[in-house]
Amino acid sequence: MNTSMKIHVSNENLKENFYNIIVKKIEKSFATLKEICYIIDLKSLIHDTDLLTISIYFKNKISFDILMERGININYSIINMIENKGMRPILWALNTNNDYFINKLLERDELNLFFITEYNINIITHLCDIIEDINVFEKILNKMKEISFERTEKYILDMPILFIEYCIKC
């Protein structure tokens, strides 16, 4: 990116361009996408969703990597969308079943795996609901235990029995 040229572009235009390039997968615009990712406000929301989640949802590694490099909040929780309220980038990464996004997020020390949304969704219940690969489940649990075995144990034991029963049925 040419930093010697300072052209003022509104964050709204950046958000619109970011979204259009990712959604439409315009490959010839990936250079523009890189530039946008380096200058867009990391707190920007597009349709009430953070930029990292959009990158994961549309499986765009270019924007994901740049946003991660810039220090985007990897624990952002969608707050306004009723059907996805409380969803976080790690949950979207699990939904895509894409090891690239999952592993990159798990590498970060600031990743919070011990959350509970207002709909009582947590990483364990979400994994039980969408799991396709038991190795992913094991990877998440191992990361949680690595952070704190006691905290992981309490997190699982404090879950309402309904969720544990649900996971066993899955």
Side-chain angles (χ1 to χ4, degrees):
M1 185 172 97
N2 182 357
T3 54
S4 62
M5 262 177 85
K6 301 243 180 193
I7 300 173
H8 178 71
V9 180
S10 77
N11 202 57
E12 288 305 311
N13 287 343
L14 291 173
K15 288 178 3 182
E16 184 178 332
N17 290 338
F18 176 91
Y19 188 75
N20 286 333
I21 292 168
I22 288 181
V23 171
K24 295 175 183 169
K25 297 183 180 186
I26 306 168
E27 290 188 31
K28 64 183 176 191
S29 296
F30 282 164
T32 304
L33 177 63
K34 282 182 177 181
E35 291 180 7
I36 291 170
C37 288
Y38 280 115
I39 60 175
I40 195 166
D41 178 1
L42 293 179
K43 294 179 182 175
S44 296
L45 299 178
I46 300 171
H47 303 294
D48 295 325
T49 307
D50 64 290
L51 303 174
L52 194 62
T53 297
I54 291 170
S55 298
I56 294 167
Y57 183 82
F58 290 103
K59 300 177 183 162
N60 190 289
K61 292 178 184 176
I62 294 170
S63 58
F64 176 87
D65 286 341
I66 294 169
L67 295 170
M68 291 283 284
E69 176 186 312
R70 287 189 59 208
I72 195 162
N73 178 1
I74 62 172
N75 295 306
Y76 180 81
S77 178
I78 296 173
I79 52 175
N80 296 325
M81 295 175 65
I82 293 172
E83 66 275 9
N84 293 317
K85 200 167 195 165
M87 289 291 283
R88 294 165 182 252
I90 187 65
L91 297 179
W92 285 110
L94 292 167
N95 281 352
T96 66
N97 199 25
N98 186 312
D99 282 342
Y100 183 83
F101 299 119
I102 295 167
N103 291 334
K104 289 286 190 180
L105 288 167
L106 287 175
E107 288 172 3
R108 301 292 287 269
D109 290 337
E110 68 269 23
L111 178 65
N112 178 7
L113 295 172
F114 298 95
F115 61 86
I116 298 174
T117 71
E118 65 185 70
Y119 294 117
N120 284 325
I121 294 170
N122 65 38
I123 194 90
I124 304 293
T125 57
H126 191 74
L127 280 166
C128 290
D129 193 31
I130 58 101
I131 195 72
E132 292 182 17
D133 181 357
I134 195 69
N135 293 323
V136 174
F137 194 92
E138 183 179 29
K139 190 183 299 185
I140 298 289
L141 278 178
N142 285 339
K143 178 67 174 182
M144 292 174 79
K145 290 188 302 186
E146 178 185 310
I147 294 167
S148 169
F149 180 83
E150 293 77 19
R151 192 170 170 199
T152 303
E153 185 179 52
K154 182 175 178 359
Y155 186 73
I156 292 171
L157 292 175
D158 286 349
M159 289 172 50
I161 191 70
L162 176 64
F163 287 125
I164 294 172
E165 289 174 356
Y166 180 76
C167 284
I168 291 170
K169 289 177 186 175
C170 290

